[in-house]
Amino acid sequence: MEQLNDIALDTFFTPIFMKKNRPAYKLSVICDKEYEKEIEKIIFRNTTTIGVRKYEVQRDILSRRAEKVYYEDMELYLKIVNFEDEEYIYPEYESAKKLAKNKNIPIKAAFEMIKDIYRNIDLLSK
């Protein structure tokens, strides 16, 4: 999965049942067409699969920008996303995880804390 995440847009597992009710996992990978063959190589080398199903999809993405805030000697990363005159703040998971561990707080609280840190910096700069 780590190798796939280096070049894919997203990867995820879904628990499924195969023929004869055998439990399995379906690996889904979303990638740009240019990485298709590299993705297949990784899958065939690292799994027991003997086939890959491929579907083309369209993807719409919102405008976004990456931001970095500092809190107690930590660099915390987030994305600011815009949709129809609204702005949404999405802290990066690894930053929230680092803050949660550092402050010994739940990760949900760390996500909210990063949003608050960014909002307060944004208010101070106006």
Side-chain angles (χ1 to χ4, degrees), residues 89 111-121:
I89 303 167
F111 274 103
E112 292 306 315
M113 192 171 171
I114 293 170
K115 289 178 186 181
D116 289 341
I117 292 166
Y118 174 78
R119 286 184 190 114
N120 287 333
I121 289 171

Side-chain angles (χ1 to χ4, degrees), residues 76-91:
L76 304 171
Y77 296 89
L78 52 139
K79 286 186 184 121
I80 309 303
V81 178
N82 296 96
F83 178 69
E84 294 184 347
D85 300 333
E86 293 287 329
E87 183 174 87
Y88 302 95
I89 303 167
Y90 294 108

Side-chain angles (χ1 to χ4, degrees), residues 10-102:
D10 203 1
T11 60
F12 56 94
F13 289 109
T14 306
I16 60 172
F17 288 97
M18 302 294 285
K19 288 187 228 170
K20 301 179 184 175
N21 242 7
R22 290 175 298 180
Y25 289 96
K26 178 173 94 172
L27 170 62
S28 297
V29 180
I30 301 170
C31 69
D32 289 323
K33 188 109 174 118
E34 65 191 89
Y35 297 112
E36 181 180 339
K37 291 300 176 192
E38 184 66 25
I39 296 285
E40 285 181 3
K41 285 179 188 177
I42 293 169
I43 292 171
F44 286 132
R45 282 191 183 128
N46 294 284
T47 71
T48 58
T49 194
I50 57 173
V52 173
R53 291 182 180 98
K54 298 183 271 186
Y55 307 93
E56 284 197 30
V57 297
Q58 290 182 325
R59 181 174 181 244
D60 293 327
I61 59 172
L62 298 175
S63 67
R64 67 190 82 185
R65 70 181 190 277
E67 294 282 344
K68 177 174 36 174
V69 295
Y70 295 93
Y71 179 77
E72 294 183 0
D73 295 330
M74 285 183 282
E75 289 183 346
L76 304 171
Y77 296 89
L78 52 139
K79 286 186 184 121
I80 309 303
V81 178
N82 296 96
F83 178 69
E84 294 184 347
D85 300 333
E86 293 287 329
E87 183 174 87
Y88 302 95
I89 303 167
Y90 294 108
E92 294 290 342
Y93 175 78
E94 291 300 323
S95 290
K97 184 175 151 184
K98 178 169 60 171
L99 181 62
K101 183 177 180 181
N102 185 278

